[in-house]
Amino acid sequence: MTEERLIISRKTNNKFFLMIAIGVVLLIAGIIIAAMSGGHQAEGHGEAAAAGHEAAHWTKRLYMNLWLNNVYFTGIALIGVFFVAVQYVAYAGWSVLIKRIPEAMGYYLPIGGAVMLITFLLGGHDIFHWTHDYLYNQFLEDGVTPNPQYDPIIAGKAPYLNFWFFLIRMVAYFVLWILFFNWLRRNSLNEDLQGGTNYYHKSIRISAMFLVVFGVTSSTSAWDWVLSIDTHWFSTMFGWYVFASWWVSGLAVITLAVIILKQNGYLKMVNANHLHDLGKFVFAFSIFWTYVWFSQFMLIWYANIPEESIYFIERLGGNGGHFKWIFFTNLLINFAFPFLVLMTRDAKRQMIMLKIVTIAILIGHWLDFYLMMMPGTMRTDAGIGFIEIGTTLIFLGVFLITFTKGLTKASLVPVNHPFLEESVHHHV
C-alpha cells in the first residue's frame, strides 16, 4: 500500500494566519468598545462587585473568552487521542484509513496546557469565585467580628477547591494526556517504518491504560474547569455532560476533516462506507448528549430544590432572560438539527449533508460551553460580540495550524497497520 502525504500550500497556511489576524483585530476592537462603554458590573459577584471598577469589565470578559475557547479546543484535541485509543481497544478495522486525523488533533494539547495555565494564573479571580481568600475566614482580623463575606459552603469545599491542588491537578492532566498522546503517536509512526504487529499490540496496551486515565481525568477536569465556576451548585452528571459535548464536537471535527481532505483529492481509499460510519457516530452521540442534557435538566426541574434549580433559572428566566435564546438554540442545533437531517441512510453517506451538520454541531457545542460558563461569571454583561468572535477565530486559527502541521508529519494512510486491508474493503 503506497503512502499518501498531505502538502499544505502556502495559500492555505496564509488563510489560517489571516483568520488569526482578523481575530486579533476584532478582539482589539471589542476591547476598545468595552473599555469606552465603561464598567457597569457591580451587580456581579467576585472582585468586580467588591471593587466596582471599570477595568474589571473587559479584562474579565477577555479571561472568560480565553478560558471558554481553550476548554473547548483542548477537549476536542483530547477526544482525538481518545478516539484512537477506543479504536485500538475495540480491535476496530473500519477506521484505519482515517486514524491519522484524530491522531493529529492531539498536537494542540501542549498549547492548550500553556494557555490554560497562564489564563488561570492571570485571571483566576475573574473566572472562579472560590479563589478569593475572604470567603474562607469566619472572622475578621480582630478574631471576634464575624466576617460578612464568609461562605460556609465554599469553605467546606476547600480541601478540593484550593489554588495549589487545582494547579497541581491541571498540570497533571496535561502531563498525562500529552505523555499518552506522544506514546501512541510514536508507536503509530514506528509501525509505518518497521511493519509487523508488535507496535499494534503495544498500542492496544497503551490505549487501555489511557482509557483508565481518561475516564477519571475527563470528569475531574470538567469539575475543575467548568463546574467550579458555579461554586455552590453541583451535579453528579456533569462529568458525563461535558464529556458528551466534547465527544460530539471531536467526532464532528474528525468527520469534517475527512470530508475536506477527500474534497481536496486526498484519502482516495476512503469511501461512502467510512463516511456512513462517521455519520452514525455523529448522529448517535448527538442523541446521547441530549439524553444526558435531558436527564440532568428533568431531575432538577422535577425535584425543584432551590439550590439545584438556580442553575437553570439563571439560564432560563434569571439574568433578565439574557441567556434564554442560547438555551433553546443549544437544543435546536445540537439535537433537533442533526437528529432530523442525519436520520436517513443516504444523508449519512453524503458529504454535503455531513458537512452542514458537523459545522452546525461545532457552533452549537461552542454555545453549549458558553452557556455553561458565562451566566455564572459575566451575568447580564455577557454577550456575543467582537471579543467573543475575535477570540474564537484566534483559537480556531491556532488549532488548524497545529492540526494540519500534525497531519503533514506522517502518511495519511498508516501503510503497515495490520487491519489496513479490512479498512480498504470496508462495507456497510
Side-chain angles (χ1 to χ4, degrees), residues 259-427:
I259 291 167
I260 291 168
L261 286 168
K262 188 113 181 91
Q263 286 176 338
N264 284 288
Y266 295 99
L267 300 176
K268 293 180 183 68
M269 288 177 288
V270 170
N271 56 40
N273 297 296
H274 300 95
L275 290 177
H276 190 176
D277 274 349
L278 287 168
K280 283 189 280 193
F281 259 123
V282 171
F283 176 73
F285 284 100
S286 289
I287 297 169
F288 172 72
W289 171 84
T290 316
Y291 158 71
V292 181
W293 182 95
F294 180 75
S295 303
Q296 183 171 267
F297 178 80
M298 204 272 297
L299 290 172
I300 289 171
W301 171 80
Y302 190 72
N304 205 14
I305 301 167
E307 60 265 33
E308 288 181 358
S309 55
I310 180 127
Y311 184 82
F312 288 108
I313 289 166
E314 281 185 347
R315 282 151 181 79
L316 265 170
N319 289 318
H322 197 73
F323 298 97
K324 202 170 188 175
W325 72 272
I326 300 180
F327 188 87
F328 290 108
T329 307
N330 188 19
L331 278 177
L332 207 67
I333 301 183
N334 294 327
F335 169 61
F337 186 65
F339 179 71
L340 294 170
V341 175
L342 291 182
M343 199 179 281
T344 64
R345 182 178 191 267
D346 283 351
K348 292 194 268 286
R349 299 171 77 90
Q350 286 172 357
M351 285 195 203
I352 183 69
M353 287 299 196
L354 286 171
K355 210 172 178 180
I356 292 166
V357 170
T358 50
I359 291 168
I361 281 174
L362 288 169
I363 295 166
H365 282 285
W366 184 91
L367 281 173
D368 189 26
F369 276 97
Y370 181 93
L371 197 59
M372 288 185 231
M373 294 184 189
M374 292 299 180
T377 49
M378 294 300 296
R379 303 268 185 254
T380 50
D381 287 324
I384 295 177
F386 287 164
I387 295 181
E388 283 69 24
I389 297 164
T391 320
T392 307
L393 283 175
I394 294 168
F395 273 90
L396 181 60
V398 171
F399 181 83
L400 288 171
I401 289 167
T402 52
F403 173 49
T404 50
K405 201 171 174 209
L407 281 174
T408 58
K409 287 181 179 177
S411 163
L412 288 176
V413 179
V415 283
N416 286 321
H417 194 290
F419 289 169
L420 181 59
E421 281 301 316
E422 184 184 332
S423 189
V424 172
H425 301 293
H426 176 59
H427 181 74

Side-chain angles (χ1 to χ4, degrees), residues 87-157:
Q87 303 308 310
Y88 273 122
V89 171
Y91 287 83
W94 72 273
S95 57
V96 174
L97 283 172
I98 61 152
K99 125 185 209 302
R100 285 286 148 84
I101 289 150
E103 241 175 50
M105 282 155 63
Y107 277 102
Y108 177 80
L109 285 172
I111 295 171
V115 174
M116 198 79 85
L117 198 61
I118 293 162
T119 309
F120 177 65
L121 292 175
L122 294 179
H125 281 329
D126 284 327
I127 303 168
F128 299 108
H129 183 48
W130 58 262
T131 53
H132 297 282
D133 291 335
Y134 59 72
L135 298 165
Y136 300 92
N137 304 322
Q138 204 164 348
F139 300 100
L140 297 176
E141 284 173 14
D142 59 10
V144 181
T145 317
N147 174 12
Q149 290 176 310
Y150 171 68
D151 191 318
I153 294 173
I154 295 177
K157 298 184 183 193

